[in-house]
Amino acid sequence: MTIQPGQSVPAVPVKLVTPDGVSDVSSQDVLGKGRVLMFTVPGAFTPTCHLNHLPGYLEAADQFRQAGVDRIVCATANDHHVVKAWAEATGAGDRIDFIADGMAKLAVEMGLDRDLSAGGLGTRFGRNALLIEDGVVRIVNAESSPGEVTSSGAPAMLDALKAL
């Protein structure tokens, strides 16, 4: 079952990728303090994630900060080496932190997983965006169609923040 507003984020071991490097942390360490905007993508460097989803958050990072977001986090079920390379290749590291959930444990625990085995990708995050305040989910926007970035995109989340 997909995590719902009012529920707390789970404590799952993940790799945090920042400009300072890669560290082993709990998902609560990353998502449990302050106002966090987390968006989840099926895969680093995959076409929609790389060309449509991440760029919107990069462009809107200052607007999110002005709207009271303390941290922007992108979570993906890739290994931390790939996630680090993606952060560096996109220049996102100074504006967005990344969670590398290589075994998709956080994705499954939050009910945000999608089985993409038919395409050779295994279990991955679906495309989502969440607003989390002090570890409690306030907003969950999930895409209903693969390859779309509408409700989980930066513009939709900026509108959701303004409506609070």
Side-chain angles (χ1 to χ4, degrees):
M1 181 173 181
T2 302
I3 196 164
Q4 298 294 312
Q7 293 181 315
S8 296
V9 295
V12 176
V14 294
K15 302 266 189 197
L16 177 63
V17 178
T18 68
D20 297 328
V22 177
S23 54
D24 292 312
V25 298
S26 165
S27 53
Q28 282 185 340
D29 296 334
V30 181
L31 306 172
K33 297 175 189 104
R35 188 180 249 192
V36 179
L37 177 60
M38 179 175 83
F39 65 103
T40 67
V41 298
F45 293 110
T46 58
T48 303
C49 306
H50 187 71
L51 301 174
N52 298 334
H53 209 174
L54 177 63
Y57 282 95
L58 283 172
E59 292 169 14
D62 290 338
Q63 292 174 277
F64 283 115
R65 303 263 190 261
Q66 291 167 1
V69 171
D70 300 308
R71 185 178 217 173
I72 302 169
V73 177
C74 176
T76 183
N78 291 106
D79 70 76
H80 63 281
H81 300 290
V82 170
V83 175
K84 184 175 185 290
W86 192 38
E88 291 171 354
T90 58
D94 63 335
R95 291 170 277 172
I96 297 174
D97 292 334
F98 291 80
I99 289 177
D101 183 27
M103 300 302 292
K105 290 181 181 179
L106 179 60
V108 170
E109 189 72 25
M110 293 182 80
L112 300 175
D113 57 304
R114 179 169 266 164
D115 183 1
L116 299 177
S117 297
L121 299 174
T123 301
R124 299 289 181 113
F125 272 103
R127 193 174 308 285
N128 307 280
L130 297 87
L131 179 66
I132 303 164
E133 292 182 346
D134 294 321
V136 177
V137 175
R138 292 269 323 260
I139 297 170
V140 180
N141 285 354
E143 296 296 347
S144 56
S145 298
E148 281 190 8
V149 179
T150 53
S151 66
S152 69
M157 289 306 289
L158 280 169
D159 289 344
L161 279 165
K162 290 174 188 170
L164 289 177

